Amino acid sequence: MDIKPLSAVQKYAAARPATEAKPGAGGPGEALGDVARDFAATLRESEATAKAAMTGEADPHALVQALAQTELAVETAVTVRNKVVEAYQEILRMPV
């Protein structure tokens, strides 16, 4: 099989744009920031609903729904944190 270097370079150049990051996509850091903002917003909304329920301005169904959303958000955050810690510990165990 005869492989010409110029042909390989041309094929690489043609395939390269598919592997580049898209403009406007911030990557994992921006996605993590969005998740953190969504988590904080969920907690704020649930806290506001709980305060409204204490003063009698919200119905019990809204309070239960807000508490369930908060519980799910906290469980998800704890699971992600545990996975990150687990991955960090795996990296520390790798031989250099």
Side-chain angles (χ1 to χ4, degrees):
M1 174 178 213
D2 185 28
I3 299 176
K4 298 179 182 177
L6 186 57
S7 174
V9 170
Q10 289 172 342
K11 290 189 186 278
Y12 174 75
R16 188 165 178 231
T19 60
E20 290 178 353
K22 296 177 183 172
E30 188 175 313
L32 189 59
D34 291 343
V35 169
R37 281 188 287 279
D38 290 345
F39 177 73
T42 300
L43 293 181
R44 276 193 301 274
E45 290 170 9
S46 296
E47 184 177 3
T49 304
K51 286 179 182 177
M54 285 183 219
T55 59
E57 298 171 7
D59 61 334
H61 177 70
L63 177 62
V64 171
Q65 186 176 9
L67 290 175
Q69 287 177 339
T70 303
E71 182 181 9
L72 182 62
V74 170
E75 286 176 1
T76 303
V78 168
T79 301
V80 169
R81 185 222 40 201
N82 289 344
K83 291 292 184 180
V84 168
V85 169
E86 193 177 301
Y88 178 73
Q89 289 172 344
E90 281 293 318
I91 290 171
L92 288 178
R93 280 184 273 209
M94 287 183 182
V96 179

